[in-house]
Amino acid sequence: GFLPLQGHVVRNWKVRWFVLLQDKLLYYKIEGGKKEPSPKGRILLDGCTITCPCLEYENRPLLIKLKTKTNTDYFLECCSREERDSWALDITGAIHAGHPVQVQELHRMKNSFKLLENISLHNIVERMYDSSTGIKLTRNLDQGNRYKETFTGSALVDWLISNSFAVSRFEAVTLASMLMDENFIRPVGVRSTEATRSSDLSEKFLDDSTALYMFAETSKKNTGSKEEVPFNISELSGTIVKQGFLVKQGHKRKNWKVRKFVLRADPAFLHYYDPTKEDNKPVGGFSLRGCLVSALEDNGVPAGVKGNVQGNLFKIITKNDIHYYIQASSKAERVQWIEAIKPLT
């Protein structure tokens, strides 16, 4: 699949097509909408260590860090927590493939539940407040409201694990639920607030990138729906239905670029982002109301499509008759995107 990778010489980010083998991770360039036949590079997994979650970059919270036995660091970014955890689990399995005892230990740790002895919630909160190593506070949108100094549920779970307060996500969720139950943190927004109605303590806190929380003592004055923002609040406040990397043809130059697509409902919009940029602002997007979406045949290049493309194409035509040509990484992924988009048109 597609993952942004940080360069070693020039520390910029490039999107590459990754293939995980038993003993190595290969990555390829995409040129003209097609994967090059030879790999651009490889990461040898023998003796490699993996860090996930990796919180070394504030603007990139979904990183995986791989350190080879020659002490070379590789940073890979994913689209969602689910995708990141899936890649991390598969890579970890490949790293320890020749050591079945270690694999069993990994599964045992993953399925076990044991909080640290004599854990102090006050200590955790103090660490969360630390300006350099604490939880990163950001502005977020929810149902048209603009919340300052918030963090997402999944960000707190990542932080608790990376700071060794918990081993598994289940442990971290339980800890976060205790922080909320003791009124150290509180939910803001619809998703996180609705979850508090659950009778089960472990289900009151959501390990989710759309569930918002803030420190309980933070003033409610930090919320507002009229604050000016450099983008349309309404179209970016919908519920995220699906997100992932796809290859899109440009409108002017007709070249192909990998973009991170985010599909939202209520209101229904499809936005796309440049994953090589540091900011998390869409470079384009459109309303899905009145759109037509359909798969394109893989035998031959359809009219309107330039370049020797890889395949798995689909097309979206907006109600203003603007045509978007997009490639998925597989036929199955193309079907998933089309089925997710159609009900929102």
Side-chain angles (χ1 to χ4, degrees), residues 234-341:
S234 62
E235 68 181 70
L236 291 173
S237 64
T239 302
I240 295 178
V241 176
K242 186 175 177 61
Q243 55 186 334
F245 293 111
L246 298 168
V247 188
K248 172 187 167 295
Q249 180 178 264
H251 289 294
K252 295 180 179 179
R253 296 178 59 190
K254 304 298 182 184
N255 55 350
W256 292 88
K257 297 288 186 182
V258 179
R259 294 289 181 251
K260 174 186 173 182
F261 279 79
V262 178
L263 177 64
R264 293 181 172 90
D266 299 323
F269 273 83
L270 185 62
H271 293 96
Y272 49 94
Y273 301 71
D274 185 345
T276 67
K277 303 297 183 184
E278 290 297 333
D279 59 14
N280 192 31
K281 298 177 182 177
V283 295
F286 51 92
S287 170
L288 291 172
R289 294 302 180 195
C291 284
L292 298 174
V293 57
S294 60
L296 298 176
E297 296 297 330
D298 290 335
N299 52 344
V301 180
V305 174
K306 304 293 183 182
N308 186 17
V309 298
Q310 192 83 13
N312 307 311
L313 281 162
F314 64 98
K315 178 171 67 172
I316 301 176
I317 305 175
T318 70
K319 64 180 181 180
N320 297 325
D321 200 34
I322 299 175
H323 293 224
Y324 289 87
Y325 295 97
I326 303 169
Q327 291 187 72
S329 61
S330 66
K331 285 184 171 61
E333 186 183 45
R334 176 174 65 179
V335 170
Q336 291 170 7
W337 273 98
I338 291 174
E339 289 182 348
I341 292 170

Side-chain angles (χ1 to χ4, degrees), residues 9 23 30 57 89 154 156 236 253 261:
V9 181
D23 60 344
I30 299 293
Y57 290 86
L89 186 63
S154 57
L156 178 54
L236 291 173
R253 296 178 59 190
F261 279 79

Side-chain angles (χ1 to χ4, degrees), residues 53-112:
C54 172
L55 306 180
E56 293 189 22
Y57 290 86
E58 181 179 348
N59 293 333
R60 296 180 180 272
L62 297 172
L63 288 179
I64 296 171
K65 178 181 178 181
L66 296 175
K67 181 184 282 293
T68 67
K69 64 180 180 181
T70 58
N71 288 323
T72 303
D73 292 340
Y74 291 88
F75 292 93
L76 290 65
E77 186 180 32
C78 298
C79 258
S80 64
R81 180 183 60 78
E82 292 77 15
E83 183 190 44
R84 181 199 62 190
D85 292 349
S86 176
W87 270 104
L89 186 63
D90 289 341
I91 293 171
T92 302
I95 290 173
H96 299 294
H99 307 280
V101 175
Q102 286 180 286
V103 174
Q104 290 177 6
E105 179 66 14
L106 284 168
H107 283 287
R108 187 194 67 77
M109 288 176 61
K110 181 185 175 185
N111 296 322
S112 68

